[in-house]
Amino acid sequence: GESPSSSVGAVRGGVGLRLQVIKLPGASKTNLSVMELVPGGPAAASGNIKPGDILLSIDGIDVAHNSLEEVAVLLAGPEGTPVAVKFVRRPSPGVASPSASVASAGPRLGAGEG
C-alpha cells in the first residue's frame, strides 16, 4: 500500500526550478510545467521532480491553471519557512501518473525567457 506520492522537506529561499506555461493537448486552460531543474537545488536534490512535471498545488492551494506571477507570489514568503509544492508527472498513454511533492521554494521563478 505504498503511495506513489512523496514529499521532501525544504524551505523557502529558492526552489531550484524554472517553470514554463504550457497547454496540454485537448486542454482548455494552460498549465505550469517544469522547464528545468537547477543542479544542486532543492527540487533536483529531492529526486522527485523532473522536467515536464505539471504543477498541481502550493501549500494545498490548487494552482494548476494559475499564472506564473500568481504562483511566484504564493511561493514567495518569509525566507526559511516551509512550503509544500506538489507536482504530477505528465501522463503518458497507458501509463499511470505518480505524483510527487517537494517542499521548498522562493521568489526566483523564471518564465523561461531571457
Side-chain angles (χ1 to χ4, degrees):
E2 284 292 311
S3 167
S5 64
S6 52
S7 59
V8 174
V11 296
R12 297 182 201 267
V15 66
L17 55 76
R18 293 175 68 188
L19 297 174
Q20 62 183 342
V21 178
I22 64 164
K23 195 163 184 181
L24 296 172
S28 59
K29 297 180 179 178
T30 57
N31 286 90
L32 292 175
S33 169
V34 177
M35 187 176 71
E36 66 178 343
L37 300 175
V38 177
S46 76
N48 290 331
I49 310 303
K50 291 183 167 38
D53 285 0
I54 306 297
L55 178 63
L56 287 183
S57 66
I58 298 170
D59 283 339
I61 302 166
D62 181 356
V63 294
H65 305 299
N66 287 34
S67 69
L68 280 172
E69 290 76 18
E70 289 168 326
V71 167
V73 167
L74 286 170
L75 288 177
E79 187 164 334
T81 58
V83 57
V85 186
K86 187 166 189 177
F87 293 86
V88 66
R89 191 67 23 89
R90 189 186 296 189
S92 301
V95 178
S97 311
S99 61
S101 298
V102 59
S104 68
R108 300 176 184 275
L109 281 180
E113 296 181 20

